Amino acid sequence: MKILHTSDWHLGRSLYGRKRYDEFSAFLDWLGETIEAQGIDALLVAGDIFDTGTPGNRAQGLYYRFLCRVADSCCRHIVVIAGNHDSPSFLNAPRELLRALNVYVVGSITDEPGDEVIVLRNEQGDPQAIICAIPYLRDRDIRTVMPGETIEDKNSKLIEGLRAHYAAVCAIAESRQKELAENENIPNVPIIAMGHLFTAGGRTAAGDGVRELYVGSLAHVGREVFPASIDYLALGHLHVPQMVGGAEHFRYCGSPIPMGFGEALQKKRVVVVEWDRGVAAIEEITVPCFQPLRRIVGSLEDIVNGIGQLKEEQSTAWLEIEYTGAAGQGNLRELLEEALQNTSMEIRRIKNKRVSDRVINSLHQHETLDDLDVHQVFERCLDTFDVPPEERAAMIQSYDEIIKSLHEEDVNAE
């Protein structure tokens, strides 16, 4: 039995307004080729398939075309669970239809924990693995709110709710394992659990978009929450590939493409696990970089030199520039665009630390940016840079038009 563990595709995600469908398509093509080259029997996708609960047509098209391709390959089974970015009802809607392709989708928990236990069989009908397909567990799924609860009470209930649900599902898997040994004379069928959560000590990267799952909570679960019967734990949510509590068979595979510039230099991976006579061999496979990202920080001279070096390398990177020089540099973007002429590189974001500091420092006492709406922030910017009154009307009108266009954008018309 050979499985491939992946997660956190975030199909449909943009990077500062730049659509990334070419990257997603290239990854899924590579993943399909890898499944065939490796002779994968089952694909496990541990949540956050989409970046939002209402993915656009192009993101949906990539997902369904990929499922059809893999279902027609050597891979006999695909198991998909929902993550915190996914809409459970959206994932579940075509569930019965996808079963015809041996695609199992678990978008949310049900009243019966056995619904999350799936026995995978080979062409001869022999059981190969028992999957505990546990989706992202929302607060309301695992905790009952009581009057007068403290933060400690809430955290304790959340962790106990997670523990109880994994215990219930894995207990059913253990019972199935015993039945298979007794009735079909196939002992030690591996139990593979899936989940989408934040474990204690988990590593993240700046700007990766990983959200705290439970508001105001410290409920990062420890390794001890997961039953000892689990032979492999395929987790999603954290974008950095890593083990849980030092356990080699409890893993996050991480996101397959960098979700932000904080992940720009990470090696992205998928995990392949093969069982031979009850022994698991775990291998990480590096995912190619389909669109390089680079961050350049420093003075104008530092930034220009950094761009020059990338030009010599004939880089096609998308850039995040952070200017930290002392001079104002009001024409920073124009200078940088000039430096990028005749290259394939793009600037996706410019951070002018001097400007942002001045704007933030102009906030009134006891104010934070959260206290201001988008129009007030723009007015503070105008005040900070002493824009003359006669120039403000046109600038405010243009700004309002931009805000209006953003609000009226049809996010599903892609």
Side-chain angles (χ1 to χ4, degrees), residues 145-207:
V145 178
M146 298 296 291
E149 282 185 334
T150 66
I151 292 296
E152 290 76 14
D153 293 335
K154 177 180 179 181
N155 289 338
S156 177
K157 278 190 172 183
L158 284 169
I159 292 175
E160 183 53 38
L162 288 164
R163 185 198 306 274
H165 189 76
Y166 272 85
V169 175
C170 288
I172 295 171
E174 292 165 25
S175 177
R176 300 271 175 89
Q177 186 185 55
K178 184 177 179 181
E179 291 171 5
L180 294 172
E182 294 175 350
N183 301 334
E184 301 187 37
N185 197 29
I186 301 180
N188 302 320
V189 176
I191 295 176
I192 304 169
M194 301 173 67
H196 193 92
L197 43 75
F198 203 139
T199 55
R203 291 179 288 120
T204 61

Side-chain angles (χ1 to χ4, degrees), residues 359 362-363 367-384 399-400:
V359 171
S362 72
L363 295 175
E367 270 187 339
T368 68
L369 284 174
D370 291 336
D371 298 321
L372 306 178
D373 63 28
V374 293
H375 301 286
Q376 291 169 323
V377 171
F378 187 64
E379 290 171 2
R380 297 292 174 85
C381 288
L382 297 177
D383 292 338
T384 298
Y399 179 79
D400 289 343

